[in-house]
């Protein structure tokens, strides 16, 4: 279908500080004991997209990601891994691989997306409108621990997440305004020209930019070439394209040239005529901005920025913070269990047959215990994910937490709302609440931590 | 049923031959072909004469014509198309010039020569026998002519044979009418008896007997005519019947492959719908409450197709992206209007042809035709084709079929692309310009022009007249649920035209002040009927009763030779929900909760038919003509289309 896929897998992000490191890049963070990148790759595979370029920040991380991909998807996917310098930003990463792009359109997906929205839907919307860029917008996920918010993470749960402020036209097909990051908190500045063309703009704060974009390749390359300073797609490229959609200097000439070059439509008159009739769009916005341009019709000085809004029934979340990491882990074994690809037992949990449970140990619903893990007596596990080959002593309570591989937890520990990375050792009677423990850390016996990020120096 | 009827209609000439030789038996056994032959004059498409003349052309070219015609199909009744292929066998024999080994590998029928090879490998058979066997497998019903040609004709000039066949048709045609009812009954009984006898004669034959009436007749002829041959019968017929069976099996398979779901498929036929569904790319669920009278038209739950198609975006590899895009745009309603849809489709095909490369061991002509057919079937699933699109597709397929074999792929592609460009330019763009000029001549200062809906040509004409400085006023009549007139109104007002906007309810009121009515059309049928957006008939009728001239602006490529008397048999159903809802009026929601009610059936017709009585004049690119002259244009235009 003439699409190329670029997966931006990132590197060692600061937001996920103790969880990721050079050894464990973000793309390989386990979500329900599978690297988060596998969710994107499998989503692509399900859509019959077998070729992808995965861009990773940092050489070492790229090696690790590449190694994992080649072992996991050896016959299934054709993935090329490209390493880019760190802190280059998403736009920079794309710039680095831009010369590999040849197809008409490029699908840019963030590697930390956990979703079941078919990429085909975004691509189809993009094609249908002949847009310069199409973004996937999804309803903001309900954040924070849903039912156990009583005990832990109160402040986080209560804070309403506002990721983006999005302006749409009345048919909800065209993207007219987007604010992200720090801009969200500032005043909204709406362009008059766009407002005049639309007549009516719908401003919504309950939508999130899911970081899956379909770009017209020529437009993307042009913007990246011209605007050297652009650092991020979300904060620079996309807002720029939306801002200039009615008076685009770059893309329009490019686009029209491309269309005439490729299509070689018979005559200029014909094109003229065509645009009159093919562009009768469903939205008043389109119509309005096509008709004035029909006066000087030869070069329609506009490009389209479209949005595909996923339905509420689809799951869509980005793993871009510790909080999100907790949420996603919980939801993938809970509400969005179809994503995990595991078979759930009658108790609505997944316990690998090779896991050993001591007597009077309970593993509640929406839990996962991976292969080779051992739990001692009288343990209790609720809404948590436990990785491979963990050794957990007796009388341990694990609630709302993620325990990665090869973790040793000694007797009498209590863990709540925390993330414990690989090879961590928790000595006896350690108590952790809402903590993140970096890989290889040793929590001394009897210590008590609350809302802390612990990691090895 | 379909494929059984087909061969019968087809082998007419040969059957006739038999009839001439053994008059008493088979004459009545083919009442169907005779009737079929008599029917054509009534039908819009003149089939029979070309088939006879074409018999003499080379088999390959015939095939291509068939291929081109089939999916054209769009609007041709299928019998003549399906019927033609077996005709090749006499023709190929005529060409073969007695050289049977040459004859065998004639490309389109390779499969069939298999039987011939089996037969020829018989060690002890005589030359004549060989010839017979070779002749046999060419079409399922050849047996009849074998019996005949064997003793006498096989050594004579084949050209003469064909002539004889042709003569035979005429002769039997007249003979057929002469036979009385009693005679026919006697013959039938004799036939039945013979059939039973044949069944007893050999188990092998009995299997073959099921293939059809004609076959039985031929066997019977054999039984009657050459009892001496009967001893060899089992030997000879064994390969024959097997090859016949093979052919019988293959024919429907082939149909299945190349026959896209017929645009005029009857959707009340459950079996066919099921079949079409299995083949379908777009997964769509049928609407539940459908109006009884319109069950034969496709109607789907709106809103189910688009997400499904979108989700499958990357799965549809064989589809060209541009075709896919156009299909999506049809489905979502982004492209509407006859001309726009047709142009979009042609441009998509043009791009697809540009990117096309013939796969190895295939010929461009046939592979590309199949490709285009698959594209068309996809587009049909997205939205039923308009008649104008059917014409354009027929044009394209014709051009593909007419490509000379010697042409290189690159040349062929560029020639096809320039053909498409020319079609768009000449038949649509230029045609519109001419129509605008013609229509402009009919506008005088002070006129009040009424138009309905949003027709692109009418809009161009109004704008042109305004630019030329005519002083007139426009009345735009609109109707729910599409309210297409509003967009037109918007554009016209912007251009500075003096407009009045009203809904169709008020048409009788507003008609008092109107001096001319200009309407667009989706298609014009050969009896002068105008097939257009629903509501057009109403406007035309009111105008007629007010003695206001009704002028239809329509490009000639939208003309079709079909005759349609009502808007029931062929139409398109829109989304029924849009008529139940009134946008912007939340208080008018009486229907909102009874949409699922069993007793409520919503009907949203898209087109209607305006009888020619209400049409004063049709303005086409060939000039202005009365509706009665449409057949002339159809005839002339078709010929030209073939020659372009």
């Amino acid at each position: 279908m003439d699409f190329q896929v670029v997966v931006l897998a990132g590197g060692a992000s600061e937001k996920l500080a103790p969880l990721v490191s050079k050894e464990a890049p973000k793309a390989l963070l386990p979500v329900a004991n599978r690297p988060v990148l596998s969710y994107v790759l499998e989503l692509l595979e399900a859509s019959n997209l077998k070729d992808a370029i995965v861009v990773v920040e940092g050489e070492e991380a790229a090696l690790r990601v590449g190694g994992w991909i080649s072992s996991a998807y050896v016959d299934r996917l054709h993935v090329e891994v490209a390493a880019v310098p760190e802190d280059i930003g998403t736009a920079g990463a794309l710039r680095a691989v831009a010369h590999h792009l040849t197809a008409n359109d490029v699908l840019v997906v963030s590697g930390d997306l956990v979703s079941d929205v078919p990429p085909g839907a975004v691509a189809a919307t993009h094609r249908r409108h002949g847009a310069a860029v199409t973004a996937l917008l999804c309803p903001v996920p309900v954040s924070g621990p849903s039912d156990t918010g009583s005990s832990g993470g109160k402040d986080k749960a209560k804070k309403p997440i506002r990721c983006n402020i999005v302006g749409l036209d009345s048919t909800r097909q065209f993207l007219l305004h987007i604010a992200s990051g720090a801009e969200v908190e500032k005043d909204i500045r709406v362009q008059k020209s766009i407002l005049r063309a639309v007549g009516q703009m719908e401003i919504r704060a309950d939508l999130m930019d899911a970081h899956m974009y379909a770009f017209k390749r020529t437009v993307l390359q042009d913007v990246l070439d011209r605007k050297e300073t652009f650092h991020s797609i979300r904060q620079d490229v996309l807002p720029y394209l939306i801002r200039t959609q009615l008076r685009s200097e770059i893309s329009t000439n490019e686009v029209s040239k491309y269309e005439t070059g490729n299509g070689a439509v018979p005559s200029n008159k014909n094109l003229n005529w065509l645009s009159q009739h093919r562009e009768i769009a469903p939205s008043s916005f389109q119509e309005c901005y096509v008709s004035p341009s029909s006066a000087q019709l030869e070069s329609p000085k506009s490009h389209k920025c479209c949005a595909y809004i996923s339905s509420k029934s689809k799951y869509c979340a980005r793993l871009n913070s510790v909080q999100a990491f907790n949420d996603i882990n919980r939801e993938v074994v809970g509400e969005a269990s179809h994503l995990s690809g595991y078979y759930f037992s009658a108790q609505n949990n997944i316990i690998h047959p090779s896991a050993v449970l001591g007597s009077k140990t309970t593993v509640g619903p929406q839990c996962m215990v991976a292969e080779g893990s051992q739990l001692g007596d009288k343990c209790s596990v609720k809404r948590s994910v436990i990785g491979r080959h963990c050794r957990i002593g007796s009388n341990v309570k694990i609630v709302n937490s993620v325990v990665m591989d090869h973790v040793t937890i000694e007797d009498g520990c209590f863990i709540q709302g925390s993330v414990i990375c690989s090879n961590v050792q928790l000595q006896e009677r350690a108590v952790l609440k809402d903590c993140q423990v970096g890989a290889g850390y040793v929590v001394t016996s009897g210590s008590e931590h609350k809302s802390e990020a612990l990691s090895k120096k | 049923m379909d494929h059984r009827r087909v061969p019968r209609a087809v082998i007419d000439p040969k059957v006739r031959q038999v009839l001439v030789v053994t008059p008493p038996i088979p004459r009545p056994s083919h009442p169907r072909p005779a009737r079929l032959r008599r029917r054509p004059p009534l039908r819009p498409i003149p089939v029979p004469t070309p088939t006879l003349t074409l018999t003499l052309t080379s088999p390959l070219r015939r095939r291509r014509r068939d291929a081109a015609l089939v999916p054209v199909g769009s609007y041709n009744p299928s019998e003549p198309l399906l019927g033609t292929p077996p005709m090749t066998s006499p023709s190929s024999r005529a060409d073969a010039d007695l050289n049977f080994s040459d004859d065998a590998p004639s490309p389109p029928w390779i499969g069939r020569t298999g039987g011939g090879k089996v037969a020829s490998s018989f060690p002890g058979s005589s030359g004549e026998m060989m010839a017979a066997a070779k002749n046999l497998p060419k079409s399922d019903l050849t047996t009849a002519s074998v019996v005949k040609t064997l003793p006498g004709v096989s050594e004579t000039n084949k050209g003469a044979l064909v002539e004889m066949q042709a003569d035979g048709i005429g002769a039997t045609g007249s003979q057929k009418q002469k036979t009385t009812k009693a005679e026919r009954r006697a013959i039938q009984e004799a036939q039945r008896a013979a059939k039973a006898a044949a069944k007893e004669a050999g188990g092998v034959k009995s299997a073959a007997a099921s293939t059809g009436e004609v076959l039985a007749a031929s066997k019977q002829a054999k039984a009657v005519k050459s009892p001496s041959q009967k001893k060899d019968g089992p030997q000879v017929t064994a390969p024959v019947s097997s090859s016949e069976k093979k052919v019988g099996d293959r024919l429907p398979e082939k149909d299945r492959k190349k026959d896209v779901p017929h645009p005029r498929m009857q959707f009340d036929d459950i079996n066919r719908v099921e079949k079409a569904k299995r083949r379908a790319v777009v997964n769509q669920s049928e609407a539940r409450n459908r109006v009884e009278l319109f069950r034969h038209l496709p109607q789907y739950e709106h809103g189910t197709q688009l997400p499904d198609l979108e989700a499958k975006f990357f799965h549809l590899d064989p589809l060209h992206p541009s075709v896919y895009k156009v299909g999506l745009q049809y489905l979502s309603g982004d492209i509407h209007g006859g001309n726009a849809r047709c142009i979009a489709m042609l441009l998509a095909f043009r791009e697809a042809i540009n990117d096309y490369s013939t796969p190895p061991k295939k010929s461009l002509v046939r592979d590309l035709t199949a490709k285009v057919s698959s594209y068309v079937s996809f587009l049909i699933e997205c939205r039923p084709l308009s008649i104008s699109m059917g014409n354009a597709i027929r044009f394209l397929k014709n051009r593909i079929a007419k490509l000379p074999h010697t042409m290189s792929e690159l040349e062929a592609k560029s020639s096809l692309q320039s053909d498409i460009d020319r079609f768009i330019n000449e038949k649509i763009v230029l045609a519109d310009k001419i129509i605008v000029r013609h229509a402009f001549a009919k506008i005088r200062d002070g006129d009040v022009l009424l138009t309905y809906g949003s027709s692109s040509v009418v809009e161009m004409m109004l704008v042109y007249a305004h630019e030329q400085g005519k002083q007139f006023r426009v009345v735009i009549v609109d109707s729910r649920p599409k309210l297409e007139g509003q967009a037109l109104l918007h554009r016209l007002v912007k251009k500075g035209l003096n407009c009045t906007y009203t809904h169709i309810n008020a048409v009788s009121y507003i008609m008092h002040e109107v001096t001319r009515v200009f309407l667009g059309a989706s298609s014009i049928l050969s009896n002068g009927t105008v097939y257009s957006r629903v509501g057009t008939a109403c406007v035309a009728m009111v105008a007629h009763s007010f003695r206001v001239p009704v002028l239809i602006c329509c490009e000639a490529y939208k003309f079709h030779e079909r005759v349609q008397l009502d808007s029931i048999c062929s139409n398109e159903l829109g989304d029924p929900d849009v008529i139940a809802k009134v946008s912007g009026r939340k208080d008018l929601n009486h229907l909102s909760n009874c949409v699922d009610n069993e007793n409520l059936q919503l009907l949203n017709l898209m087109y209607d038919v305006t009888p020619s009585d209400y049409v004063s004049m049709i303005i086409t690119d060939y000039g202005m003509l009365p509706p009665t002259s449409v057949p002339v244009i159809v005839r002339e235009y078709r010929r030209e289309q073939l020659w372009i």
Side-chain angles (χ1 to χ4, degrees):
Chain A
M1 276 295 171
D2 212 10
F3 255 92
Q4 259 180 316
V5 185
V6 178
V7 180
L8 301 175
S13 140
E14 283 131 35
K15 277 191 196 163
L16 292 162
L19 305 187
V20 299
S21 58
K22 288 223 166 60
E23 293 79 44
K26 181 179 169 187
L28 298 183
L29 268 185
V31 170
N33 290 326
R34 264 171 54 190
V36 62
L37 189 59
S38 71
Y39 290 89
V40 171
L41 293 179
E42 257 151 55
L43 180 69
L44 295 175
E45 194 187 8
S47 304
N48 203 20
L49 285 165
K50 311 249 183 207
D51 297 282
I53 301 173
V54 175
V55 188
V56 186
E57 284 183 2
E59 290 286 342
E60 197 178 338
L63 272 180
R64 284 174 190 277
V65 173
W68 170 74
I69 289 175
S70 57
S71 66
Y73 294 98
V74 60
D75 310 325
R76 290 157 66 192
L77 294 176
H78 177 248
V79 179
E80 287 166 56
V81 179
V84 294
E86 286 176 47
D87 295 326
I88 195 172
T90 45
L94 267 185
R95 213 173 273 138
V97 295
H99 58 279
H100 289 296
L101 304 176
T102 50
N104 269 339
D105 296 279
V106 184
L107 193 68
V108 180
V109 190
S110 169
D112 58 5
L113 183 69
V114 179
S115 168
D116 54 358
V117 179
V122 180
T125 311
H126 183 70
R127 274 285 159 77
R128 181 153 63 87
H129 293 294
V133 59
T134 304
L136 168 65
L137 301 179
C138 57
V140 174
V142 201
S143 173
S146 43
D147 54 351
T148 44
S150 51
S151 51
K154 262 180 199 160
D155 45 345
K156 272 178 202 163
K158 275 181 188 165
K159 196 169 128 197
I161 297 191
R162 220 192 296 149
C163 313
N164 295 108
I165 289 179
V166 178
L168 296 167
D169 77 315
S170 52
T171 57
R172 294 182 188 170
Q173 289 178 330
F174 296 97
L175 210 48
L176 308 175
H177 178 82
I178 194 157
S180 55
E183 281 179 59
V184 174
E185 303 303 326
K186 292 184 199 157
D187 297 338
I188 302 175
R189 301 170 70 102
V190 180
Q191 271 176 289
K192 241 189 208 165
S193 58
I194 288 182
L195 201 57
R196 205 180 299 127
V198 201
Q200 214 174 2
M201 190 196 286
E202 189 178 303
I203 298 214
R204 298 178 61 160
D206 60 340
L207 289 176
M208 182 185 82
D209 177 6
H211 227 298
M212 184 194 279
Y213 309 107
F215 282 104
K216 194 167 263 179
R217 178 181 55 91
T218 48
V219 173
L220 181 67
Q221 287 177 338
D222 202 49
V223 172
L224 292 177
D225 281 350
R226 284 187 184 226
K227 307 282 174 180
E228 295 284 340
T229 54
F230 279 5
H231 186 72
S232 142
I233 297 179
R234 185 168 52 99
Q235 291 179 348
D236 299 323
V237 178
L238 187 63
Y240 170 77
L241 284 175
I242 290 172
R243 220 164 43 231
T244 57
Q245 57 182 318
L246 286 185
R247 44 170 182 86
S248 63
E249 315 98 30
I250 16 168
S251 33
T252 51
N253 303 338
E254 198 65 27
V255 168
S256 60
K257 204 191 291 164
Y258 148 75
E259 274 183 354
T260 44
N262 207 20
V265 187
S267 68
N268 205 14
K269 294 264 171 152
N270 188 16
L271 236 186
N272 190 332
W273 192 88
L274 276 187
S275 52
Q276 204 173 32
H277 290 280
R278 284 185 69 176
E279 300 270 316
I280 300 173
S283 124
S284 56
F285 170 51
Q286 276 300 312
E287 189 191 309
C288 287
Y289 90 57
V290 164
S291 38
S293 67
S294 66
Q296 68 267 8
L297 205 89
E298 270 61 44
S299 61
K301 281 203 177 296
S302 58
H303 58 251
K304 295 184 194 173
C305 300
C306 297
Y308 175 83
I309 301 174
S310 69
S311 68
K312 282 229 159 55
S313 59
K314 297 280 185 192
Y315 183 78
C316 188
R318 285 189 61 205
L319 202 167
N320 51 6
S321 66
V322 175
Q323 179 65 46
F325 178 75
N326 267 331
D327 292 342
I328 291 171
N329 260 302
R330 209 168 22 247
E331 275 155 20
V332 164
V333 289
E335 289 95 57
S337 55
H338 58 281
L339 279 170
S340 65
Y342 293 105
Y343 175 73
F344 281 78
S345 71
Q347 284 80 39
N348 198 16
N349 56 18
I350 312 154
I351 297 174
H352 197 270
S354 64
V356 181
L357 304 186
S359 65
K360 290 194 182 171
T361 289
T362 56
V363 178
Q366 305 188 1
C367 282
M368 181 169 180
V369 180
E371 67 239 48
S373 289
Q374 301 171 359
L375 276 78
D377 302 339
K378 292 184 187 167
C379 290
S380 158
V381 179
K382 285 179 190 162
R383 297 182 62 102
S384 297
V385 178
I386 294 174
R388 298 175 185 85
H389 306 289
C390 293
R391 274 175 300 151
I392 297 172
S394 309
N395 261 326
V396 176
K397 270 196 169 181
I398 303 175
V399 183
N400 263 330
S401 300
V402 180
V403 177
M404 293 187 198
D405 304 342
H406 304 286
V407 174
T408 309
I409 301 175
E410 294 180 2
D411 297 352
C413 289
F414 178 72
I415 302 162
Q416 189 185 48
S418 302
V419 181
I420 295 166
C421 291
S422 308
N423 298 318
V424 167
Q425 193 183 359
L426 264 68
Q427 290 172 348
E428 287 177 24
R429 295 185 311 283
V431 176
L432 296 178
K433 278 189 181 174
D434 305 321
C435 290
Q436 295 89 43
V437 186
Y441 192 79
V442 179
V443 181
T444 51
S445 71
S447 61
E448 219 168 291
H449 297 279
K450 200 173 176 189
S451 306
E452 278 179 73
L454 310 168
S455 62
K456 251 189 338 191
K457 294 291 151 332
Chain B
M1 185 59 212
D2 227 17
H3 99 261
R4 213 183 257 187
R5 241 176 89 181
V6 165
R8 231 181 272 147
V10 164
I11 34 84
D12 283 355
K14 251 178 284 157
V15 170
R16 295 303 155 189
Q17 208 178 339
V18 177
L19 301 184
V20 178
V21 177
T22 57
I25 302 150
R27 206 185 302 147
S29 70
H30 313 291
R32 273 247 177 77
R35 211 184 53 210
L36 270 179
R37 170 136 356 80
R38 251 184 287 125
R39 205 195 292 154
L42 298 175
R43 243 188 274 145
I45 307 150
V47 192
T49 31
T51 44
L52 267 181
T53 50
L54 279 167
T55 331
L56 289 169
T57 61
S58 90
L60 246 179
R61 290 190 58 179
R62 287 283 349 263
R63 269 291 293 172
R64 272 194 281 123
R65 256 189 67 88
D66 294 341
L69 279 171
V70 166
V72 160
S74 2
Y75 291 97
N76 274 345
S78 59
E79 302 106 291
L81 305 174
L82 294 172
T84 31
M87 286 287 286
T88 18
S89 56
S91 73
S92 66
R93 206 181 318 139
D95 288 346
D97 207 16
L98 287 178
N99 189 349
F100 284 110
S101 57
D102 250 3
D103 189 21
S106 82
W109 306 102
I110 290 168
R112 295 192 176 183
T113 56
K117 270 172 202 150
V118 172
S120 65
S121 65
F122 274 137
S125 49
S126 70
E128 276 182 347
M129 278 277 303
M130 295 259 290
K134 282 209 166 138
N135 265 344
L136 281 182
K138 248 172 242 136
S139 94
D140 33 345
L141 306 159
T142 335
T143 359
S145 66
V146 170
V147 177
K148 212 228 148 206
T149 44
L150 253 189
V153 198
S154 68
E155 297 304 316
T156 62
N157 187 357
K158 297 292 171 175
L161 178 90
V162 175
E163 269 175 42
M164 255 189 69
Q165 288 175 341
D167 288 350
I169 293 165
T172 42
S174 55
Q175 267 181 2
K176 210 249 127 208
Q177 278 163 357
K178 273 179 222 159
T179 52
T180 67
K181 202 173 182 181
E183 259 180 321
R184 267 184 308 217
R185 170 162 295 172
I187 288 156
Q188 238 172 17
E189 263 162 19
Q191 212 181 346
R192 215 170 285 147
K195 202 176 186 176
K199 224 176 236 175
E200 282 170 9
V204 199
K205 272 194 204 165
S206 68
S210 63
T211 43
E213 224 181 317
V214 186
L215 178 64
S218 73
K219 244 177 237 151
Q220 190 193 0
K222 207 187 288 165
V224 172
K225 264 200 69 190
S226 51
S228 65
Q229 217 187 14
K230 233 205 155 172
K231 270 163 203 152
D232 317 352
Q235 267 186 356
V236 182
T237 43
V240 171
S241 60
S242 73
S243 78
E244 273 170 355
K245 240 190 261 166
K246 228 190 275 166
V247 169
D249 285 347
R250 188 168 304 128
L251 200 68
E253 204 176 12
K254 205 174 61 198
D255 292 345
R256 214 179 301 145
K257 228 187 303 172
K258 71 181 174 192
D259 224 13
V260 300
H262 205 270
R264 289 174 77 188
M265 194 174 90
Q266 304 296 296
F267 279 76
D268 44 359
D269 183 340
I270 295 165
N271 289 334
R272 287 197 178 193
V273 170
E274 282 299 312
K275 221 181 259 175
K277 222 177 220 173
R278 251 177 281 137
R279 208 164 22 193
V281 177
V282 188
N283 195 3
Q284 33 200 0
S285 50
E286 297 239 346
R288 277 154 304 156
N289 287 351
R290 289 188 291 170
V291 179
E292 190 60 47
L293 197 56
F294 291 92
R295 291 241 164 154
H296 60 286
L297 299 173
Q299 181 167 15
Y300 302 108
E301 294 276 3
H302 275 252
T304 57
Q305 307 132 306
L306 196 58
D308 180 71
L309 198 58
E310 283 180 340
K312 275 200 287 188
F313 184 75
F314 293 108
H315 291 275
L316 302 168
D317 271 337
L319 221 50
H320 192 270
S322 56
V323 176
Y324 183 88
K325 176 182 171 182
V326 170
L328 269 182
Q329 285 171 330
Y330 287 168
L331 195 55
S332 61
D334 286 356
I335 297 184
H336 53 87
N339 284 341
R341 277 169 74 197
C342 192
I343 289 179
M345 179 189 73
L346 284 174
L347 288 180
F349 284 167
R350 190 182 185 283
E351 253 170 71
I353 289 173
N354 191 33
D355 295 348
Y356 172 84
S357 65
T358 320
K361 292 185 187 169
K362 283 192 176 166
S363 76
L364 177 130
V365 170
R366 258 182 285 154
D367 190 57
L368 191 56
T369 310
K371 265 257 158 54
V372 171
S373 300
S374 72
Y375 294 158
V376 170
S377 67
F378 170 74
L379 293 181
I380 291 175
E381 281 169 38
C382 293
R383 191 180 160 184
L385 294 186
S386 69
I387 290 174
S388 55
M389 288 160 77
N391 281 344
I393 291 165
R394 176 155 48 175
F395 162 80
L396 179 61
K397 291 212 166 155
N398 225 323
R399 298 307 304 171
I400 296 175
K402 284 243 166 77
L403 288 173
H405 267 285
T406 51
M407 210 177 227
S408 77
E409 188 185 310
L410 209 64
E411 284 173 326
K413 276 161 63 178
S414 65
S415 112
L416 284 179
Q417 288 178 8
S418 68
D419 280 337
I420 291 177
D421 288 348
R422 216 171 54 223
F423 189 90
I424 295 176
N425 271 334
E426 289 179 9
K427 300 291 170 200
I428 305 178
V429 177
L430 213 60
D432 278 347
K433 283 213 177 99
I434 298 169
I435 291 173
V436 166
R437 296 292 145 84
H438 283 309
F440 173 67
K442 288 283 159 199
I443 300 178
R444 285 170 301 187
D445 280 332
D447 263 348
V448 178
L449 310 176
L450 183 143
T451 185
Y452 173 73
S454 169
S455 157
S456 56
V457 196
V458 172
E459 181 186 347
M460 286 161 86
M461 187 265 295
L462 293 174
V463 171
Y464 179 77
H466 179 71
E467 282 166 358
Q468 296 298 312
K470 288 272 181 199
Q471 296 299 315
F472 61 94
R473 198 157 65 82
V474 182
V475 177
I476 297 172
V477 180
D478 206 354
S479 71
R480 287 199 61 241
K482 288 207 153 190
L483 297 177
E484 292 164 309
Q486 285 187 355
L488 175 69
L489 179 76
H490 180 90
R491 290 189 293 263
L492 289 186
V493 169
K494 203 161 224 176
K495 292 239 161 67
L497 276 82
N498 187 359
C499 294
T500 307
Y501 177 79
T502 181
H503 276 215
I504 196 163
N505 325 4
V507 69
S508 64
Y509 164 75
I510 204 86
M511 198 58 86
H512 285 289
E513 38 188 294
V514 173
T515 56
R516 293 225 189 317
V517 174
F518 281 95
L519 297 171
S522 168
S523 177
I524 294 184
L525 310 176
S526 65
N527 57 345
T529 305
V530 176
Y531 185 71
S532 189
R533 170 72 64 227
V534 67
T536 306
C538 168
V539 172
M541 225 175 323
V542 173
H544 180 76
S545 68
F546 279 85
R547 310 226 179 280
V548 178
V550 176
L551 297 104
I552 307 283
C553 300
C554 181
E555 299 85 350
Y557 86 103
K558 290 179 176 174
F559 284 33
H560 199 271
E561 66 264 292
R562 190 160 85 195
V563 171
Q564 198 173 321
L565 301 175
D566 57 33
S567 45
I568 298 169
C569 64
S570 172
N571 210 320
E572 192 182 329
L573 298 180
D575 180 3
D577 293 338
V578 294
I579 55 169
K581 281 186 207 118
V582 186
S583 61
R585 287 289 300 274
K586 294 228 168 63
D587 50 328
L588 287 178
N589 55 356
H590 311 296
L591 287 176
S592 60
N593 42 11
C594 49
V595 168
D596 290 330
N597 193 328
E598 286 281 308
N599 297 325
L600 173 67
Q601 290 145 0
L602 297 166
L603 176 66
N604 180 12
L605 273 185
M606 300 282 274
Y607 295 99
D608 70 6
V609 149
T610 311
S612 57
D613 309 350
Y614 304 132
V615 178
S616 333
M617 181 87 83
I618 294 172
I619 306 177
T620 77
D621 30 337
Y622 294 100
M624 288 179 269
L625 36 116
T628 47
S629 305
V630 172
V632 180
I633 293 283
V634 169
R635 200 175 61 227
E636 297 298 311
Y637 179 68
R638 262 174 67 86
R639 187 183 301 151
E640 187 199 333
Q641 196 184 46
L642 292 176
W643 292 144
I644 295 186

